[in-house]
């Protein structure tokens, strides 16, 4: 299990780091539990996140991620533990 800070478990984080020259949306996922599988999910509203971006994530505590085909307009992202 990941180290705890002052007895509080670390919470997985997804941070937007920018866009590259190809228009890909770039993220950094951190505080992941290596034994847990995560999915990067995307939606165009805050009601549902139907799109899975990329493949599942397992076995790491930190990972750079990207959305290589973001939709036009707004998009919202979250990490889902499986």
């Amino acid at each position: 299990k990941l180290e705890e800070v002052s007895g509080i478990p670390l919470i997985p984080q997804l941070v937007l780091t920018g866009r590259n020259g190809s228009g890909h949306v770039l993220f950094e996922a951190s505080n992941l539990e290596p034994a847990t599988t995560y999915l990067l999910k995307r939606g165009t509203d805050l009601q549902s996140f139907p799109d899975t971006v990329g493949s599942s994530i397992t076995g790491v505590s930190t990972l750079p991620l990207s959305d290589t085909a973001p939709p036009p307009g707004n998009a919202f992202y979250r990490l889902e533990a499986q």
Side-chain angles (χ1 to χ4, degrees):
K1 218 168 183 183
L2 289 175
E3 291 181 9
E4 296 180 357
V5 177
S6 301
I8 301 171
L10 295 174
I11 298 171
Q13 296 183 348
L14 181 65
V15 177
L16 174 68
T17 59
R19 281 186 178 254
N20 67 14
S22 300
H24 301 173
V25 180
L26 307 174
F27 303 93
E28 178 77 19
S30 60
N31 296 341
L32 304 178
E33 174 60 51
T36 300
T37 299
Y38 299 90
L39 295 173
L40 177 61
K41 301 294 283 188
R42 177 184 66 215
T44 55
D45 57 36
L46 292 172
Q47 302 302 309
S48 65
F49 293 81
D51 303 324
T52 299
V53 178
S55 56
S56 61
I57 305 159
T58 306
V60 296
S61 60
T62 302
L63 183 69
L65 300 167
S66 66
D67 184 354
T68 60
N74 292 331
F76 303 93
Y77 297 86
R78 71 180 184 191
L79 280 176
E80 287 186 3
Q82 301 296 292

